[in-house]
Amino acid sequence: MSADLPHLALRIDGARLLDRLQALAQIGAYQGPNGEPGCSRLALTDADRAGRDLVVSFMREQGLQIRIDAIGNVLAIRPDHRGRVEQPVLAGSHIDTVRTGGRYDGNLGVLAGLSAIEAVARAGIATRRPLAVAFFTNEEGARFSPDMLGSLVYAGGLPLDEAYGIRGIDGATVGDELRRIGYAGSAACPGPVPAAYVELHIEQGPVLEAAGLRIGAVTGVQGISWQEITITGQSNHAGTTPMALRHDAGYAAARVATFVRELACELGPPQVGTVGQITLFPGLVNVIPATAKLTVDLRHTDEQSLQQAEARLREFAARLAQQEGVQITSRSLARFAPVAFDPQMIALIESTAQRLGASTQRMPSGAGHDAQMMARLCPAGMIFTPSQRGISHNPAECTAPDDLILGANILLQVMLTLAQSEALLPSP
Ligand code: HGY
Ligand code: MN
Ligand code: MN
């Protein structure tokens, strides 16, 4: 790596990062079944508002220039040595969580980015490019589909009015909820193009821990296909209806769920398939279900393979509808092709981690991230830290404090290199 790193010894204030992570984790805190410290802040709820307010207060403490856009993305900027704010080196992630979330998913990338900028300011370093940190709205997609909604709108991938009209699992719309919590900002979407984007994130999987490695240099994000399947059968009496005369939407839903799992196992890794939600109507012990709604999440690192899995599911559903005399329809909730990160950014992350003495490996991301949307605008990359037991989207989610701090220091050094070097991305 030819970039000179004049501030290689600079470090973030690790204790402050851990304190802030703890403070943010208190908002929406809940105890898991074994007392694990979980975090539940579904997008655009009161808990999300409180989390946003806390992080914005951290940003204001540092005197950063705050930009809140019309989809509620918040971006805080430290101007460059000439007072300019255009084309910053941007760190970011999200602070919304799934309903049964943990303390680090998303939160780490935002608070580590803030710590990195704070360390640069404390050292009195005037940077060639502005530094910035952002959190994006509704990354999880657990309440409103699709996921990565805020960064998708920021990158110009979805018109704002379409995003405002999205109705969540509880019937509320994005636009109404954004206005209700006071985060429908005045800054325009799509947002200004950064010079580069770097996201620190917990791996949320078992790979780094199993390999005994400290840091992942992420090569890209796998493709994501979310759909809602509706099955319409015929409700009938559970006691009087002979099995041969049934049009049982509940049974058909169970067959789809079983097929999704068997398909993913047949196709083999990295194919994954998940049915996360099944609701039956009327949902009564003695009534054959009239309708069933279920969600299907299919993912693969290769677009063709993902399309094949979708086609296999479509064919299965058509046969099943015929066999059971039910109607089966599908509605897409999210569909993103795999994304490859900038090779020079991957190399920079890898070499910076190694300069800080960390063992690394290159790896794709199984989870979706805002970085995959920002990669549409500028060179983007991700840094992974290990997840203990590979657990995430679960109150037991945990990453060791020294891994959190190491990741943040690598983020700091990558941001500084990008902010100081003449050619932005030094040739590998
Ligand atoms: O679903 C995902 O991969 C992310 O957590 N939104
Ligand atoms: Mn995340
Ligand atoms: Mn997540």
Side-chain angles (χ1 to χ4, degrees), residues 139-140 147-148 224 226 299 367-368 393:
E139 185 280 342
E140 290 295 358
D147 52 350
M148 288 76 72
I224 299 177
W226 286 1
R299 307 200 195 193
H393 284 190

Side-chain angles (χ1 to χ4, degrees), residues 245-316:
L245 298 183
R246 294 182 179 212
H247 304 291
D248 183 342
Y251 168 70
R255 289 283 307 277
V256 170
T258 309
F259 175 79
V260 166
R261 176 174 176 103
E262 289 167 354
L263 176 68
C265 295
E266 175 205 322
L267 296 175
Q271 180 68 53
V272 287
T274 311
V275 171
Q277 199 183 73
I278 296 184
T279 44
L280 303 181
F281 178 80
L284 299 171
V285 63
N286 58 354
V287 179
I288 300 169
T291 58
K293 274 190 192 290
L294 61 153
T295 58
V296 178
D297 176 325
L298 296 171
R299 307 200 195 193
H300 200 292
T301 51
D302 172 71
E303 175 60 18
Q304 294 313 313
S305 304
L306 185 55
Q307 288 182 18
Q308 274 167 10
E310 290 172 318
R312 290 280 301 273
L313 176 56
R314 253 195 320 277
E315 290 150 15
F316 173 79

Side-chain angles (χ1 to χ4, degrees), residues 146 148-160 162-163 189-191 336 373 376-377:
M148 288 76 72
L149 177 65
S151 48
L152 178 65
V153 172
Y154 187 98
L158 186 73
L160 184 64
E162 218 177 295
C189 289
F336 299 121
M373 302 305 171
R376 300 181 183 200
L377 297 178

Side-chain angles (χ1 to χ4, degrees), residues 67-78:
R67 177 187 192 276
I68 303 177
D69 71 18
I71 195 67
N73 298 317
V74 177
L75 200 139
I77 306 168
R78 180 179 186 256

Side-chain angles (χ1 to χ4, degrees), residues 4-18:
D4 60 338
L5 297 176
H7 308 291
L8 196 55
L10 190 62
R11 294 292 179 267
I12 64 137
D13 179 338
R16 194 168 169 78
L17 171 62
L18 299 178

Side-chain angles (χ1 to χ4, degrees), residues 94 96 98 105 139-140 201 204 367-368 392-393:
H94 61 96
D96 64 303
V98 294
D105 177 357
E139 185 280 342
E140 290 295 358
H201 205 288
Q204 302 182 285
S392 184
H393 284 190

